[in-house]
Amino acid sequence: MATLSGKVGLQQCREATVLSLCIATLPPHYGYAVLKGTVGHGESPIPISYSEVDNMKQQVVVVGTSVVPSLHLSSNLQSAPVMLTKKNLLVTHSVLRLCLDSGAMLLTSWLTVLTTLQHLCWVCNIVPKSSTDFIQNTSGKLSNEAKAQSQISSILATQSTSDYSLSSILSNNFTTSLGTNTKTSSEMRTNGVGGTNGGVMGVVVEFGSCLSQGVTRLIETSIGLDDVSLHHIINALTNMSQEAMEIAYLNREPSLFAVAKLLEIGLRNLDRVEIYWRPLTSHLLEVCRHPHIRMREWGSEAITFLVRSALLHQDTDDEKVNQLLLSPLCELSTILHNDVRNKQLAALGQILHCKGEKLKSSWPLAINILGDIYDHHSEGLIRSAFQCLQLVVTDYLPVLPCGSLPHSIDTVAKFARQKQELNVALSAIGSMWNIADFLYQNRARILENLTPDVSTFPDFPGIFEIPPFDKLWLGIYQRLGELCIDDRPAVRKSAGQTLFSTIAAHSNILNKFSWDCVMWQVLFPLLEAVEKSWKNASCEKVDSQNALLIHHSRNTEQKQWSETQVLVLGGIAKIFAIKRANLLEIQDFRKAWYFFLQFVQNAATSTNEEVSLAALKSFQEALTTPSERNAAESNDFWSRCWLVYLEIGEQVICSRGAHQQFLTAYVTILQSLFSPMKKKLTVEDIQKIGVIFSKSLIIPLTGDGASSVLFSTSDSGMSPLQDQLYLAYDTVIKETKDIPTLRKLLPPVILQLVNLGAYAVRCNTSSKAFALEGVVPNCMDFGIKCLKQSVLILTSICEETSINRMDLFRDTLEVRSGFVILFPLFFFGEVGSTN
């Protein structure tokens, strides 16, 4: 009747007939209560009263201890046991046979049929214990998918005539089940089941096995249904799942039958996945958002397994299909529950391992999934996501579309910025180097694929001539620069080292406009931000559980920021030194150089010994130039350096003094600065530097300075500072004595050497007699060498007319008491014979 009604299009008749059959599979009042809402037309048949079935005339086969939680059952039916008789089993067989033979005719009646099967499975305790077990069993059944589909197609083709049809299998199973259950029913009545004494209730294993097999066959045969019937099945299961979700909101255990069958339906119909994908996955996403843990667990397991299976099953190059299949996995990122995100990442990891090279235009979705990390996510989730990202960076960069490279760089930087897992942040910075190395080695191929329609990073403000490939590099530099001002010292240090190493190794391919952007939109903003953070940092000791592991030189925020400032200053100085040829091509090189010198001067004149010393070392490194200097350096470049050099000496050495390492570094700079400046220097410049050098020699030692004097004294008996002073004057003498126009600088040099020689008797401290801290270093050996040098130079220039006209001898011999005794000894005893 139901089949005939379906064939002739009598919807109300079909629904009423199917409803009557389904109600007969369950106890009358129970079946009518749960099924009356499954039809939309016609009147439901009048249910049979319990008095007609509760008498013991019918043979009870199965007794269920509970019923499916339903919104349609009254409270008294919720707790009552459910007894299935032989009649119920026979009708169940008819219902399954109807579905297998005439499934295409059921249409909206699928809701009634599937609701009935859900209740029967619940009564018979055919319920998977966990989603993981169900997924494993399902995947095991699908391992030989091609063979299984072939067998099902054969069954469908011979269903009406074959002795081995599904209906005959079910019929044989039910016959066996009923024959076996006769004894069981008798035993149950003997034990009082259904009587006044109560008793043990159970499930007949044979019927449960038969029912499970029948439902499985029903799902398998869905591949033979047309698209309309398939949508009706999915819609019916979705409605059942919606009711289960409402029940779960009431803190009652829901039935997961609908979710499980939605997954099976999806897996069995992967060949036409585009037909049903959106409605099925949309509902599973709703299930994943449910607050009920078990409901959410099943939903996330179902959708991740379905997406993974669909992507691995569809061996197609259609980009739209791949994006369609991956989009539900991407939408899981909007769900805040960590358990859902963990399953999402596990599924993505498997997809990347198995099909990463074929994702093509779906890569943006995959990278979006990895980049959706937030502060509320757990450390384990961050690690799982980063493992997938590392796989992308190490294995799949060559197959990544060029348009996805900026997105990858941003995602890696996002992992470096996250605060939950420090090791992941440091590893992410290392991945930035891997990306930079990949771009450099594959630049020819990337340049070919970077067409104008491929979007990279947006234009940088004020600079419009940057090629798309250079924008990738600037994106890397900019994000590493942002990480250099992170709150965590380890991240700042790692990012700074990576930034300057990357610029040094790979920046030779940038054009002059890109270099302009590197300086003014990456490096100098970074230098300003670090200087500001250093000045505003707290001087209080860091209070943390790992305080004992922090060295005393880094136990305050200011000390930690000092380390960062030292790193940034040194890095930029190195860029000025090794990339001078590239930088000279930018439009505002002179402005950039002045800007850098201003930072050097600010740092060198600060009261922080570590920063001031690092500023001098950075100044020294920035002055290092190739053997052939560019003409652009010859004008104001070195003049500005000389002014900054003098200002540092006057503000620090002459005004407040400094420690020995600072003084040594300051004097050392003259050896690099004098050669390019020698043609511009005057006698007044030499005199100014002589005042600074003389002051540096008599500054008392600090604790660190005393150690440097005690343990770093050279074989000549001079301290490191004295060594560098002597070398500085030696450089000046060598650069000027053979050039007639520069010999005018020698008289003040000789005078300064004589004055320095005077300290041989003014500052004669024995380091073995007492502690050195607070004492001026011994200058005996240094003074003697300076006197010898002055006499040698004096003898070589004394016959020149220009020198004789100067009051050099009078100024030289006007020395203080004590030194007037020593000078004739050196002058007449050692070199008098040559004068």
Short mmCIF file of all heavy atoms in Angstrom, two decimals, residues 273-317:
data_model
loop_
_atom_site.label_atom_id
_atom_site.label_comp_id
_atom_site.label_asym_id
_atom_site.label_seq_id
_atom_site.Cartn_x
_atom_site.Cartn_y
_atom_site.Cartn_z
N VAL A 273 29.30 14.26 -3.79
CA VAL A 273 29.43 15.05 -2.58
C VAL A 273 28.91 16.48 -2.76
O VAL A 273 28.39 17.08 -1.81
CB VAL A 273 30.92 15.06 -2.14
CG1 VAL A 273 31.78 15.82 -3.13
CG2 VAL A 273 31.07 15.67 -0.76
N GLU A 274 28.97 17.00 -3.97
CA GLU A 274 28.51 18.37 -4.18
C GLU A 274 27.00 18.50 -3.99
O GLU A 274 26.51 19.60 -3.72
CB GLU A 274 28.88 18.82 -5.60
CG GLU A 274 30.39 18.84 -5.87
CD GLU A 274 30.70 19.14 -7.32
OE1 GLU A 274 30.36 20.26 -7.77
OE2 GLU A 274 31.26 18.27 -8.00
N ILE A 275 26.27 17.40 -4.10
CA ILE A 275 24.82 17.45 -4.00
C ILE A 275 24.36 17.72 -2.57
O ILE A 275 23.44 18.51 -2.32
CB ILE A 275 24.19 16.12 -4.52
CG1 ILE A 275 24.62 15.87 -5.97
CG2 ILE A 275 22.68 16.14 -4.38
CD1 ILE A 275 24.19 16.95 -6.93
N TYR A 276 24.99 17.10 -1.62
CA TYR A 276 24.50 17.15 -0.24
C TYR A 276 25.45 17.87 0.73
O TYR A 276 25.14 18.00 1.92
CB TYR A 276 24.30 15.73 0.28
CG TYR A 276 25.57 14.92 0.42
CD1 TYR A 276 26.35 15.01 1.56
CD2 TYR A 276 26.00 14.08 -0.59
CE1 TYR A 276 27.53 14.28 1.70
CE2 TYR A 276 27.16 13.35 -0.48
CZ TYR A 276 27.93 13.45 0.67
OH TYR A 276 29.08 12.73 0.80
N TRP A 277 26.60 18.35 0.26
CA TRP A 277 27.66 18.78 1.17
C TRP A 277 27.23 19.93 2.08
O TRP A 277 27.44 19.89 3.29
CB TRP A 277 28.89 19.16 0.36
CG TRP A 277 30.11 19.41 1.20
CD1 TRP A 277 30.69 20.60 1.49
CD2 TRP A 277 30.90 18.41 1.86
NE1 TRP A 277 31.79 20.42 2.28
CE2 TRP A 277 31.93 19.07 2.54
CE3 TRP A 277 30.81 17.02 1.96
CZ2 TRP A 277 32.88 18.40 3.28
CZ3 TRP A 277 31.77 16.35 2.69
CH2 TRP A 277 32.79 17.03 3.35
N ARG A 278 26.66 20.96 1.51
CA ARG A 278 26.35 22.14 2.32
C ARG A 278 25.32 21.88 3.41
O ARG A 278 25.55 22.24 4.57
CB ARG A 278 25.91 23.29 1.41
CG ARG A 278 27.02 23.81 0.52
CD ARG A 278 26.63 25.11 -0.16
NE ARG A 278 27.65 25.55 -1.10
CZ ARG A 278 28.74 26.23 -0.74
NH1 ARG A 278 28.93 26.53 0.52
NH2 ARG A 278 29.63 26.59 -1.65
N PRO A 279 24.15 21.28 3.12
CA PRO A 279 23.19 21.06 4.21
C PRO A 279 23.71 20.11 5.29
O PRO A 279 23.46 20.31 6.48
CB PRO A 279 21.96 20.50 3.50
CG PRO A 279 22.46 19.97 2.19
CD PRO A 279 23.59 20.86 1.82
N LEU A 280 24.44 19.10 4.87
CA LEU A 280 24.93 18.12 5.85
C LEU A 280 25.99 18.74 6.76
O LEU A 280 25.91 18.64 7.99
CB LEU A 280 25.47 16.90 5.12
CG LEU A 280 25.73 15.64 5.96
CD1 LEU A 280 25.59 14.39 5.10
CD2 LEU A 280 27.11 15.65 6.59
N THR A 281 26.97 19.39 6.16
CA THR A 281 28.05 19.96 6.97
C THR A 281 27.56 21.16 7.79
O THR A 281 28.08 21.41 8.88
CB THR A 281 29.22 20.39 6.08
OG1 THR A 281 28.77 21.30 5.07
CG2 THR A 281 29.85 19.18 5.42
N SER A 282 26.59 21.90 7.28
CA SER A 282 26.07 23.03 8.04
C SER A 282 25.44 22.56 9.35
O SER A 282 25.63 23.18 10.41
CB SER A 282 25.03 23.80 7.22
OG SER A 282 25.62 24.38 6.09
N HIS A 283 24.74 21.45 9.29
CA HIS A 283 24.15 20.94 10.53
C HIS A 283 25.22 20.38 11.47
O HIS A 283 25.14 20.60 12.69
CB HIS A 283 23.12 19.85 10.23
CG HIS A 283 22.55 19.22 11.46
ND1 HIS A 283 21.68 19.87 12.31
CD2 HIS A 283 22.78 18.01 12.02
CE1 HIS A 283 21.39 19.10 13.33
NE2 HIS A 283 22.03 17.95 13.18
N LEU A 284 26.20 19.69 10.92
CA LEU A 284 27.25 19.17 11.78
C LEU A 284 28.03 20.31 12.47
O LEU A 284 28.48 20.16 13.61
CB LEU A 284 28.22 18.30 10.96
CG LEU A 284 27.65 16.96 10.48
CD1 LEU A 284 28.70 16.21 9.66
CD2 LEU A 284 27.19 16.10 11.65
N LEU A 285 28.15 21.44 11.80
CA LEU A 285 28.79 22.60 12.43
C LEU A 285 27.95 23.10 13.61
O LEU A 285 28.50 23.52 14.64
CB LEU A 285 28.98 23.71 11.41
CG LEU A 285 30.10 23.50 10.39
CD1 LEU A 285 30.04 24.56 9.29
CD2 LEU A 285 31.46 23.54 11.08
N GLU A 286 26.64 23.05 13.46
CA GLU A 286 25.77 23.43 14.59
C GLU A 286 25.97 22.47 15.76
O GLU A 286 26.00 22.89 16.92
CB GLU A 286 24.30 23.42 14.15
CG GLU A 286 23.94 24.49 13.15
CD GLU A 286 22.47 24.43 12.78
OE1 GLU A 286 21.69 23.84 13.56
OE2 GLU A 286 22.10 24.95 11.72
N VAL A 287 26.11 21.20 15.46
CA VAL A 287 26.34 20.22 16.52
C VAL A 287 27.67 20.50 17.22
O VAL A 287 27.78 20.37 18.45
CB VAL A 287 26.32 18.79 15.94
CG1 VAL A 287 26.62 17.77 17.03
CG2 VAL A 287 24.96 18.50 15.31
N CYS A 288 28.68 20.91 16.47
CA CYS A 288 29.99 21.19 17.06
C CYS A 288 29.94 22.38 18.02
O CYS A 288 30.80 22.49 18.91
CB CYS A 288 31.01 21.47 15.96
SG CYS A 288 31.40 20.03 14.94
N ARG A 289 28.99 23.26 17.85
CA ARG A 289 28.88 24.43 18.72
C ARG A 289 28.07 24.14 19.99
O ARG A 289 27.94 25.02 20.84
CB ARG A 289 28.22 25.58 17.96
CG ARG A 289 29.07 26.12 16.83
CD ARG A 289 28.42 27.35 16.19
NE ARG A 289 29.27 27.93 15.16
CZ ARG A 289 29.21 27.62 13.88
NH1 ARG A 289 28.32 26.71 13.48
NH2 ARG A 289 30.03 28.17 13.01
N HIS A 290 27.55 22.94 20.10
CA HIS A 290 26.68 22.62 21.24
C HIS A 290 27.49 22.55 22.54
O HIS A 290 28.61 22.04 22.56
CB HIS A 290 25.99 21.27 21.00
CG HIS A 290 24.75 21.09 21.80
ND1 HIS A 290 24.76 20.75 23.13
CD2 HIS A 290 23.44 21.24 21.45
CE1 HIS A 290 23.53 20.66 23.57
NE2 HIS A 290 22.70 20.95 22.58
N PRO A 291 26.95 23.05 23.64
CA PRO A 291 27.70 23.00 24.90
C PRO A 291 27.81 21.61 25.50
O PRO A 291 28.67 21.38 26.35
CB PRO A 291 26.89 23.94 25.82
CG PRO A 291 25.51 23.95 25.25
CD PRO A 291 25.68 23.81 23.77
N HIS A 292 26.95 20.68 25.09
CA HIS A 292 27.00 19.32 25.62
C HIS A 292 28.26 18.64 25.10
O HIS A 292 28.49 18.56 23.88
CB HIS A 292 25.75 18.54 25.19
CG HIS A 292 25.58 17.24 25.91
ND1 HIS A 292 26.26 16.10 25.54
CD2 HIS A 292 24.83 16.90 26.98
CE1 HIS A 292 25.92 15.10 26.34
NE2 HIS A 292 25.04 15.56 27.23
N ILE A 293 29.09 18.15 26.00
CA ILE A 293 30.41 17.63 25.61
C ILE A 293 30.31 16.47 24.63
O ILE A 293 30.99 16.44 23.59
CB ILE A 293 31.22 17.22 26.86
CG1 ILE A 293 31.48 18.44 27.73
CG2 ILE A 293 32.53 16.56 26.45
CD1 ILE A 293 32.22 18.12 29.01
N ARG A 294 29.44 15.51 24.94
CA ARG A 294 29.36 14.32 24.09
C ARG A 294 28.76 14.66 22.72
O ARG A 294 29.22 14.14 21.69
CB ARG A 294 28.52 13.26 24.78
CG ARG A 294 28.65 11.87 24.17
CD ARG A 294 28.33 10.79 25.15
NE ARG A 294 28.49 9.48 24.56
CZ ARG A 294 27.49 8.74 24.09
NH1 ARG A 294 26.24 9.19 24.19
NH2 ARG A 294 27.71 7.55 23.56
N MET A 295 27.79 15.52 22.73
CA MET A 295 27.21 15.94 21.45
C MET A 295 28.25 16.67 20.60
O MET A 295 28.40 16.41 19.39
CB MET A 295 26.01 16.87 21.72
CG MET A 295 25.36 17.46 20.49
SD MET A 295 24.44 16.25 19.52
CE MET A 295 23.01 16.00 20.58
N ARG A 296 29.01 17.55 21.24
CA ARG A 296 30.05 18.29 20.52
C ARG A 296 31.16 17.35 20.04
O ARG A 296 31.71 17.52 18.94
CB ARG A 296 30.62 19.37 21.44
CG ARG A 296 31.52 20.35 20.75
CD ARG A 296 31.85 21.50 21.67
NE ARG A 296 32.65 21.09 22.82
CZ ARG A 296 32.25 21.20 24.08
NH1 ARG A 296 31.05 21.70 24.36
NH2 ARG A 296 33.04 20.84 25.07
N GLU A 297 31.49 16.37 20.85
CA GLU A 297 32.52 15.41 20.47
C GLU A 297 32.14 14.65 19.21
O GLU A 297 32.93 14.51 18.28
CB GLU A 297 32.77 14.44 21.62
CG GLU A 297 33.76 13.33 21.29
CD GLU A 297 33.74 12.22 22.32
OE1 GLU A 297 33.11 12.40 23.38
OE2 GLU A 297 34.36 11.17 22.07
N TRP A 298 30.88 14.17 19.17
CA TRP A 298 30.43 13.43 18.00
C TRP A 298 30.36 14.33 16.77
O TRP A 298 30.74 13.91 15.68
CB TRP A 298 29.05 12.82 18.30
CG TRP A 298 29.16 11.48 18.95
CD1 TRP A 298 29.44 11.23 20.25
CD2 TRP A 298 28.99 10.21 18.32
NE1 TRP A 298 29.45 9.87 20.49
CE2 TRP A 298 29.18 9.22 19.32
CE3 TRP A 298 28.70 9.81 17.02
CZ2 TRP A 298 29.08 7.87 19.04
CZ3 TRP A 298 28.59 8.45 16.74
CH2 TRP A 298 28.79 7.50 17.76
N GLY A 299 29.90 15.56 16.96
CA GLY A 299 29.81 16.45 15.81
C GLY A 299 31.18 16.77 15.23
O GLY A 299 31.36 16.75 14.00
N SER A 300 32.15 17.05 16.09
CA SER A 300 33.49 17.38 15.59
C SER A 300 34.17 16.18 14.97
O SER A 300 34.85 16.30 13.93
CB SER A 300 34.33 17.96 16.73
OG SER A 300 34.41 17.04 17.82
N GLU A 301 34.01 15.02 15.58
CA GLU A 301 34.58 13.80 14.97
C GLU A 301 33.96 13.54 13.60
O GLU A 301 34.66 13.18 12.65
CB GLU A 301 34.34 12.60 15.90
CG GLU A 301 35.21 12.57 17.14
CD GLU A 301 36.60 12.02 16.85
OE1 GLU A 301 36.93 11.84 15.66
OE2 GLU A 301 37.34 11.79 17.82
N ALA A 302 32.64 13.72 13.51
CA ALA A 302 31.95 13.42 12.26
C ALA A 302 32.39 14.35 11.14
O ALA A 302 32.73 13.92 10.04
CB ALA A 302 30.43 13.51 12.47
N ILE A 303 32.41 15.65 11.42
CA ILE A 303 32.71 16.59 10.33
C ILE A 303 34.17 16.54 9.93
O ILE A 303 34.50 16.64 8.74
CB ILE A 303 32.28 18.02 10.75
CG1 ILE A 303 32.24 18.91 9.51
CG2 ILE A 303 33.23 18.61 11.80
CD1 ILE A 303 31.59 20.25 9.76
N THR A 304 35.07 16.35 10.88
CA THR A 304 36.49 16.28 10.51
C THR A 304 36.80 15.00 9.72
O THR A 304 37.55 15.03 8.74
CB THR A 304 37.39 16.35 11.75
OG1 THR A 304 36.98 15.35 12.71
CG2 THR A 304 37.28 17.71 12.42
N PHE A 305 36.20 13.89 10.15
CA PHE A 305 36.42 12.63 9.42
C PHE A 305 35.80 12.70 8.03
O PHE A 305 36.37 12.21 7.04
CB PHE A 305 35.84 11.46 10.20
CG PHE A 305 36.13 10.12 9.59
CD1 PHE A 305 37.38 9.54 9.69
CD2 PHE A 305 35.15 9.43 8.89
CE1 PHE A 305 37.66 8.31 9.12
CE2 PHE A 305 35.41 8.20 8.31
CZ PHE A 305 36.67 7.63 8.42
N LEU A 306 34.63 13.34 7.93
CA LEU A 306 33.95 13.45 6.64
C LEU A 306 34.75 14.34 5.68
O LEU A 306 34.91 14.00 4.50
CB LEU A 306 32.55 14.01 6.84
CG LEU A 306 31.65 14.09 5.61
CD1 LEU A 306 31.44 12.69 5.02
CD2 LEU A 306 30.30 14.72 5.96
N VAL A 307 35.25 15.46 6.16
CA VAL A 307 36.04 16.35 5.31
C VAL A 307 37.31 15.65 4.86
O VAL A 307 37.69 15.71 3.67
CB VAL A 307 36.38 17.66 6.07
CG1 VAL A 307 37.41 18.47 5.30
CG2 VAL A 307 35.12 18.48 6.30
N ARG A 308 37.98 15.00 5.79
CA ARG A 308 39.22 14.30 5.44
C ARG A 308 38.95 13.21 4.40
O ARG A 308 39.69 13.08 3.41
CB ARG A 308 39.83 13.71 6.71
CG ARG A 308 41.17 13.05 6.48
CD ARG A 308 41.84 12.73 7.80
NE ARG A 308 41.18 11.66 8.53
CZ ARG A 308 40.51 11.82 9.67
NH1 ARG A 308 40.42 13.02 10.22
NH2 ARG A 308 39.94 10.80 10.28
N SER A 309 37.90 12.43 4.60
CA SER A 309 37.59 11.36 3.66
C SER A 309 37.19 11.90 2.30
O SER A 309 37.58 11.35 1.26
CB SER A 309 36.44 10.50 4.22
OG SER A 309 36.79 9.95 5.48
N ALA A 310 36.44 13.01 2.29
CA ALA A 310 36.00 13.57 1.01
C ALA A 310 37.18 14.11 0.21
O ALA A 310 37.28 13.91 -1.00
CB ALA A 310 34.98 14.68 1.27
N LEU A 311 38.10 14.80 0.88
CA LEU A 311 39.27 15.34 0.18
C LEU A 311 40.17 14.24 -0.35
O LEU A 311 40.73 14.35 -1.45
CB LEU A 311 40.05 16.26 1.11
CG LEU A 311 39.48 17.67 1.29
CD1 LEU A 311 40.21 18.40 2.40
CD2 LEU A 311 39.58 18.47 0.00
N LEU A 312 40.33 13.19 0.42
CA LEU A 312 41.18 12.09 -0.03
C LEU A 312 40.48 11.23 -1.08
O LEU A 312 41.15 10.59 -1.91
CB LEU A 312 41.59 11.22 1.16
CG LEU A 312 42.39 11.93 2.25
CD1 LEU A 312 42.74 10.97 3.38
CD2 LEU A 312 43.66 12.55 1.67
N HIS A 313 39.14 11.24 -1.08
CA HIS A 313 38.39 10.45 -2.06
C HIS A 313 38.30 11.16 -3.40
O HIS A 313 38.41 10.52 -4.45
CB HIS A 313 36.98 10.18 -1.53
CG HIS A 313 36.10 9.44 -2.49
ND1 HIS A 313 36.15 8.07 -2.62
CD2 HIS A 313 35.16 9.87 -3.37
CE1 HIS A 313 35.28 7.68 -3.54
NE2 HIS A 313 34.65 8.76 -4.01
N GLN A 314 38.13 12.47 -3.36
CA GLN A 314 37.95 13.23 -4.59
C GLN A 314 39.31 13.54 -5.21
O GLN A 314 40.00 14.46 -4.80
CB GLN A 314 37.20 14.54 -4.29
CG GLN A 314 35.75 14.35 -3.91
CD GLN A 314 34.89 13.97 -5.10
OE1 GLN A 314 35.21 14.30 -6.24
NE2 GLN A 314 33.81 13.26 -4.84
N ASP A 315 39.69 12.76 -6.19
CA ASP A 315 40.95 13.00 -6.89
C ASP A 315 40.67 13.91 -8.09
O ASP A 315 40.70 13.50 -9.24
CB ASP A 315 41.56 11.68 -7.34
CG ASP A 315 42.99 11.86 -7.84
OD1 ASP A 315 43.56 12.94 -7.60
OD2 ASP A 315 43.51 10.92 -8.46
N THR A 316 40.37 15.16 -7.78
CA THR A 316 39.99 16.10 -8.81
C THR A 316 40.85 17.35 -8.71
O THR A 316 41.33 17.70 -7.64
CB THR A 316 38.50 16.48 -8.68
OG1 THR A 316 38.19 17.45 -9.67
CG2 THR A 316 38.21 17.07 -7.31
N ASP A 317 41.02 18.03 -9.83
CA ASP A 317 41.76 19.28 -9.87
C ASP A 317 40.82 20.48 -9.85
O ASP A 317 41.27 21.62 -10.03
CB ASP A 317 42.66 19.33 -11.12
CG ASP A 317 43.77 18.30 -11.05
OD1 ASP A 317 44.17 17.95 -9.93
OD2 ASP A 317 44.22 17.86 -12.12
#
